[in-house]
Amino acid sequence: MMDCVLPRYKVLRDADLCSGCGLCARTCANGVYRLAKDGGLPSIEPARCVNCQRCVVTCPARALAIVRWPQAGTGSANWTLEAMQDIAKQAQTGGVLLASMGTPSPYPIYWDHLLLNASQVTNPSIDPLREPMETRVFLGSSPEALKVNERQQQVVEPLPPQLKLDMPIMFSAMSFGSISLNAQKALALAARELGTFFNVGEGGMHRDLEPFADCAFAQVASGRFGVDPHYLNTAAAIEVKIGQGAKPGIGGHLPGEKTSAEVSRTRMIPEGSDAISPAPHHDIYSIEDLRQLVFSIKEATGYRKPVAVKIAAVHNAAAIASGMARTGADIIVVDGFRGGTGAAPKRIRDAVGIPVELALAAIDQRLRDEGIRSTVSLVASGSVRNSADVVRAIALGADAVSIGSAALIAMGCHQCGDCSSGRCNWGIATQRPALTERLDPQAAAERVVNLLRAWTCELQEMMGGMGINAVDSLRGNRLMLRGVGLNEKELEILGVKHAGE
Amino acid sequence: MLVAEAKRIEVDLGLSHFKEANEQVRAALAQADEVVVASANAQRYLGCALAAGKRLEIHGTPGNDMGCYMDGGAIEVFGNGQDQVGNTMNGGTIVIHGRCGDAAGYGLRGGTILVRGDCGWRAGIHMKQYEQKRPAIVIGGDAGAFLGEYMAGGAIVLGGRAGSYVASGMHGGIIYLRHPLAAEEVPEGVVQSPLGEEDKGLLAGLLAAYNGAFGREGPSLDGADEGWWCLRPASARPYGGLYAS
């Protein structure tokens, strides 16, 4: 069959700068470069290039650059080159198109339409360099009223378990299998250093991560991989994964090639077998059933661990969250459709779900209207790109945010979106030993720590500018936001005024 | 709480909420290796994460999620089980002198569940296995639809008749059937065949376990040498060709 799939990228090599060292050929796991037998420059097969930029970054002569394949489309805004290439690929294979990371489709990014306030004259701004600025938050459910024995100065009833975060930012769930153990170790090291939490994802907890368990979320997904009493009781908190923003409504599928000996041990399934997480949990068909699972976890952990429930941001997110808040869940996590993934069907990644900004605002408002917002914590994720997004999310009602893609980018990810191939040249989304050893957990953790330290400084600066000295005072404080370029309905859902109002 | 013998405590759960009921059972288990629940009234999670060396004898009707995350202990029910018996169980044995509800042994990774009578839908869904952990479910009676759905490991034995959609998405393990499926009922990617020599030992052991538990209560399951069929996946990678690469 004629291959109508064009290369996506073209490799530009500056022959004047290239020393012919061949490092590019040794670096690229995709096989773009091939060493020449006669000692000449490596040959180039551009169709294999995914634009991960590893060769560009590591080329000692700076002789390489990747550009888009220069083929012009027809000029049609409808039949774009990409639309036609997708059809060519499916016509040749009959397969479901796979994609990775968050959707690149040009849907509105509401973060970019929300501007932050700053104090002028009255309620003057606070300088975080001179004055204390509280970024610590606690996640967990709160009792309706605090009963205190005034004479003994003690709380009468035990409080539900809480997680203490030194900054309102955690790491999203990324399983061992979807990312390498070194990448997970980097997140674990960073979480401990920063006083926050990482999430082992649904693939169980590798024994090397157990020393970090006090800053780990254990995840329980439909496949129940690696879930046993030890796993549940080792972690600081447990997250029930109902859905993921990048692929709402479908489950997970780790292909057998990625089920290495170590992945197999951690997931407790045979080596080389597909790890299939069905779309639904088969013990959950209702909010009542979710409550049953939440309490089974609480029973198994002696009510000592907060239980989070994560859903994808979808059309009825607010109504669903209202139900979730009544299941005994301590934390609700809502994951928007721009969130990353190791692999998702492209059509689902690009067409299913809604932006987290809208879902978050709607959920926060609904829970407030029903008088139950304070009974649960709310965590937003799904493409939080910088500290201003963190401020926006908190002002829309989040107690904290989770980041996945941003942390991976800090480690070296260049968002090529080829995670599902297992050939990640950055050692992140791969299980190949030759590639995973490229990622030094200590060095990667340092980069992630640097990133979040910088974000925390910026968060303090922005809060200070608003005259706010604690994240608690920013939460749900939508008066600190103004919309630009949004219509009435969007402003209504976001619960913010337009700039100038 | 009655201390009947040195190491056997009896508790009466009455109509207590599951939280108090399980506290009561756990307190008793802390004192004795064997606890008898005299009257379970649909309290959930009984035997949750029950550890090796501990035994729970339940009279009455335990609630959903009995033996969830069970970790090597033993539960014997003189009555019927409800939904999700042995949910995400890691090891141990559950014996039910009656029938059980839906999704028995969901995500079962280790241990054995023996059900004298029928079971509901989706029994053994997503059972898996890892090295020496090879879980098993033996059902003496009939099974509801979707028996062994997404099955990834271990063994299911069905003495009665299967409902529809047996072994949908099966990609590991084995299902032993006393009554073979009609050819059109065998799902894509699953192969039905008479027993091979290598299957007979495992089946004989499971039948012996069933007969040992229920032999005096009704017809026994026998004939490991003949009259049994088995279902196994054609491939451990049923969805390997689903995606365009």
Side-chain angles (χ1 to χ4, degrees), chain A residues 26-48:
Chain A
R26 293 194 297 279
T27 292
C28 182
N30 291 309
V32 173
Y33 305 95
R34 191 161 298 172
L35 291 171
K37 290 199 178 95
D38 60 4
L41 300 183
S43 63
I44 295 174
E45 173 48 62
R48 293 169 181 266

Side-chain angles (χ1 to χ4, degrees), chain A residues 370-385:
Chain A
E370 295 179 354
I372 54 174
R373 174 64 185 87
S374 66
T375 63
V376 285
S377 291
L378 186 52
V379 173
S381 59
S383 203
V384 170
R385 303 158 302 169

Side-chain angles (χ1 to χ4, degrees), chain A residues 135-208:
Chain A
T135 61
R136 179 171 289 173
V137 293
F138 290 86
L139 299 185
S141 62
S142 315
E144 280 182 27
L146 202 57
K147 289 180 187 152
V148 180
N149 182 326
E150 304 266 357
R151 198 172 297 282
Q152 293 178 352
Q153 299 188 337
Q154 275 180 343
V155 179
V156 176
E157 285 175 8
L159 283 172
Q162 304 274 333
L163 299 179
K164 186 180 81 176
L165 281 64
D166 286 343
M167 59 184 62
I169 307 165
M170 303 188 289
F171 301 117
S172 311
M174 286 175 272
S175 71
F176 178 39
S178 76
I179 62 171
S180 64
L181 185 59
N182 279 350
Q184 281 198 321
K185 282 180 185 168
L187 295 171
L189 284 162
R192 187 161 70 185
E193 173 86 20
L194 294 163
T196 186
F197 294 83
F198 76 108
N199 188 321
V200 298
E202 66 163 304
M205 190 183 298
H206 191 277
R207 58 193 183 289
D208 288 2

Side-chain angles (χ1 to χ4, degrees), chain A residues 224 240 281-300 303 307 309 323-324 326-329, chain B residues 18 22 42-45 48 62-66 68-69 82-85 87 102-103 106:
Chain A
R224 306 284 157 89
V240 175
H281 288 249
H282 287 286
D283 47 3
I284 303 178
Y285 290 81
S286 65
I287 291 290
E288 170 62 16
D289 289 348
L290 174 61
R291 182 178 173 81
Q292 183 167 288
L293 178 62
V294 166
F295 275 92
S296 86
I297 292 167
K298 292 190 177 210
E299 282 288 334
Y303 296 82
V307 177
V309 180
M324 290 159 71
R326 296 165 213 274
T327 63
Chain B
F18 69 74
N22 282 291
Q43 284 93 353
R44 292 174 175 176
Y45 317 121
C48 170
N64 293 350
D65 267 334
M66 183 191 76
C68 55
Y69 316 109
Q82 292 195 47
D83 292 346
Q84 292 133 229
V85 164
N87 191 350
D102 294 341
Y106 175 10

Side-chain angles (χ1 to χ4, degrees), chain B residues 198-225:
Chain B
E198 69 281 10
D199 300 317
K200 289 179 180 171
L202 175 59
L203 177 61
L206 293 172
L207 295 180
Y210 179 91
N211 294 333
F214 309 119
R216 279 168 290 176
E217 297 168 37
S220 56
L221 292 176
D222 42 36
D225 289 338

